[in-house]
C-alpha cells in the first residue's frame, strides 16, 4: 500500500515537473516594447511593470522609445522585427501610423500586443475603458461641485484630440458630470498635447480670454497639472476650484494631492498593472491562445487620500500595493469605445 502511494506521489510529481517544463518551454524568450514617450512617468511605470513580470517569467523585455515621433516608432518596431523578437508590444504614437507595422509583424509571424490605443487590424489591446474612467471621475466631480461649488460646474478640458482614447475620457467626464450637474458647461475644450508645457501654454491663453471656470479636467496628469499651473500663474486662488487628474502616472499626482488645495480627484489607471497585463497578453499570443480584442485593465476614482489604499510612498519612491490593485474588477464591457466616436 505504501509502495503504491509512493508510486502515485512520484508520478504526480513527474507530471507536475513535466507541466512546469512545458510551461517554461512555451514562454517567449524576448519581447520588444516600443513605447511612445519613455520620459513620461506613466510609461516609466508601465515599463517597470513589464520588466518586473518579465523577470518573474524568465523573459527578456527590451524597450525602445519613439519619443512621440511616428517615424522613430516605425524604425524601432522594424528593428525588433528584424531581430526576430518573439512578441512585439506597441504603444501607438498615432493610430494610423501603426497600421503598416501590424502587417509587417504578421508577415514575420510575430504577434503584436497594443497598449493604450486601438489600431485597425489589431489582434488585441491592453487598455483601460477610457470613457468609463472619465465618466467615473465626472460623477465624483459632480458630487464635489454639488457639495462644495454651489452646484455650478464650468469646465476647462485640457484634452488631446489626436487619440481616440483621450477623446473618450473627455466625453466620459462631461457625461458623468452631467448626471449630477445637468447644466454643467464646457467653457474651454483645449488641445494640451498630453504634456505639461503645451498644457500650460494653451491653458494660459484660454484663461486670459475667459477665466470663468471652476473645474480643470486633464486627460492625463500632465494636462491637469499644466492647467492648474496656468491658473496659479494668473494669480488666482484655488478657493472655489476643483482640479481633476487622470492616470495616477507617478509621483506628480501624489505630490499634487498632498500639496494643492484644489487637486481633489484622480482617476487612477495603475500603469504598473497595465505593463504586467501586457506581458501576460504577449505570452498568450505566443502560445496561440485566444484573447479578447480588448483586455481591460482596471481603474479607480480616488478622492483625497484614497491613493494610500493602492500605493505606499516614502517621500521619494512609490510602491504599488498589488493585493489592493489586483482586487479591483475591470468592467466586462466598456460603456463606450472608439467605434462610438465614428457614429
Amino acid at each position: 500500500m505504501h509502495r503504491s502511494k509512493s508510486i502515485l506521489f512520484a508520478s504526480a510529481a513527474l507530471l507536475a515537473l513535466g507541466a512546469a517544463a512545458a510551461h517554461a518551454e512555451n514562454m517567449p524568450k524576448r519581447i520588444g516594447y516600443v513605447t511612445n514617450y519613455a520620459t513620461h512617468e506613466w510609461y516609466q511605470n508601465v515599463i517597470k511593470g513589464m520588466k518586473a513580470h518579465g523577470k518573474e517569467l524568465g523573459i527578456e523585455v527590451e524597450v525602445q522609445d519613439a519619443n512621440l515621433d511616428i517615424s522613430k516608432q516605425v524604425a524601432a518596431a522594424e528593428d525588433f522585427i528584424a531581430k526576430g523578437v518573439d512578441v512585439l508590444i506597441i504603444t501607438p504614437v498615432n493610430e494610423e501610423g501603426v497600421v503598416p507595422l501590424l502587417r509587417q509583424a504578421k508577415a514575420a509571424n510575430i504577434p503584436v500586443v497594443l497598449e493604450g490605443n486601438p489600431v485597425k487590424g489589431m489582434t488585441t489591446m491592453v487598455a483601460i475603458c477610457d470613457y468609463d474612467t472619465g465618466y467615473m471621475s465626472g460623477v465624483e466631480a459632480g458630487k464635489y461641485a454639488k457639495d462644495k461649488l454651489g452646484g455650478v460646474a464650468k469646465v476647462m478640458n485640457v484634452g488631446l484630440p489626436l487619440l481616440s482614447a483621450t477623446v473618450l475620457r473627455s466625453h466620459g467626464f462631461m457625461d458623468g458630470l452631467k448626471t449630477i450637474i445637468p447644466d454643467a458647461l464646457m467653457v474651454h475644450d483645449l488641445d494640451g498635447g498630453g504634456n505639461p508645457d503645451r498644457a500650460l501654454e494653451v491653458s494660459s491663453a484660454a484663461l486670459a480670454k475667459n477665466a470663468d471656470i471652476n473645474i480643470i479636467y486633464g486627460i492625463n496628469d500632465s494636462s491637469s497639472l499644466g492647467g492648474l499651473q496656468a491658473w496659479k500663474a494668473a494669480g488666482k486662488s484655488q478657493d472655489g476650484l476643483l482640479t481633476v487628474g487622470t492616470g495616477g502616472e507617478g509621483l506628480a499626482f501624489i505630490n499634487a494631492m498632498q500639496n494643492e488645495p484644489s487637486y481633489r480627484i484622480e482617476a487612477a489607471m495603475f500603469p504598473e498593472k497595465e505593463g504586467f497585463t501586457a506581458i501576460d497578453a504577449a505570452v498568450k499570443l505566443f502560445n496561440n491562445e485566444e484573447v479578447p480584442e480588448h483586455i481591460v485593465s482596471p481603474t479607480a476614482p480616488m478622492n483625497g487620500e484614497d491613493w494610500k489604499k493602492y500605493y505606499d510612498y516614502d517621500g521619494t519612491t512609490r510602491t504599488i500595493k498589488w493585493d489592493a490593485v489586483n482586487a479591483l474588477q475591470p468592467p466586462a464591457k466598456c460603456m463606450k469605445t472608439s467605434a462610438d466616436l465614428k457614429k
Side-chain angles (χ1 to χ4, degrees), residues 3 5-6 31 33 74 110 124 144 160 174 181 207 212 215 223 228 232 253 273 283 293 315 325 330 334:
R3 179 176 173 79
K5 284 185 178 178
S6 298
I31 293 175
Y33 173 43
V74 169
I110 296 174
T124 192
Y144 186 98
L160 179 59
M174 290 304 299
I181 312 289
L207 292 172
D212 186 19
I215 297 176
S223 301
L228 178 56
K232 292 166 63 177
F253 93 93
K273 173 69 171 177
V283 171
E293 188 175 53
V325 174
C334 300

Side-chain angles (χ1 to χ4, degrees), residues 42 128 133 169 218-221 245-250 253 263 266-272 299 302 311 318:
W42 165 267
I128 64 167
T133 301
R169 291 176 205 172
I219 51 82
N220 63 5
D221 292 340
T246 308
E249 298 155 355
F253 93 93
Y263 208 112
E266 178 77 14
M269 292 161 44
F270 308 111
E272 300 94 333
T299 63
M302 298 191 296
Y311 288 102
R318 77 175 196 178

Side-chain angles (χ1 to χ4, degrees), residues 81-159:
I81 292 169
K83 288 178 178 176
V85 295
D86 296 307
V87 186
L88 192 58
I89 304 175
I90 301 174
T91 299
V93 170
N94 71 55
E95 293 157 17
E96 292 300 320
V98 172
V99 173
L101 291 175
L102 299 184
R103 292 195 291 264
Q104 290 181 52
K106 185 176 181 179
N109 201 30
I110 296 174
V112 179
V113 176
L114 296 181
E115 185 279 324
N117 292 288
V119 170
K120 184 178 180 181
M122 69 183 185
T123 301
T124 192
M125 167 186 71
V126 174
I128 64 167
C129 284
D130 290 284
Y131 178 88
D132 304 46
T133 301
Y135 187 94
M136 289 188 296
S137 59
V139 170
E140 294 302 317
K143 293 175 183 176
Y144 186 98
K146 187 174 182 179
D147 185 42
K148 293 183 166 51
L149 302 179
V152 176
K154 298 179 180 180
V155 179
M156 179 169 74
N157 173 53
V158 189

Side-chain angles (χ1 to χ4, degrees), residues 27 33-34 43 64 81 84 122 150 158 180 264 271 280 299 309 314:
M27 285 291 164
Y33 173 43
V34 186
Y43 297 107
Q64 294 195 45
I81 292 169
M122 69 183 185
V158 189
I180 310 296
R264 295 293 84 207
D280 279 343
T299 63
K309 297 176 186 176
D314 64 6

Side-chain angles (χ1 to χ4, degrees), residues 322-339:
W322 282 109
D323 287 345
V325 174
N326 286 335
L328 294 170
Q329 293 298 314
K333 184 179 179 182
C334 300
M335 296 167 68
K336 289 187 180 181
T337 68
S338 58

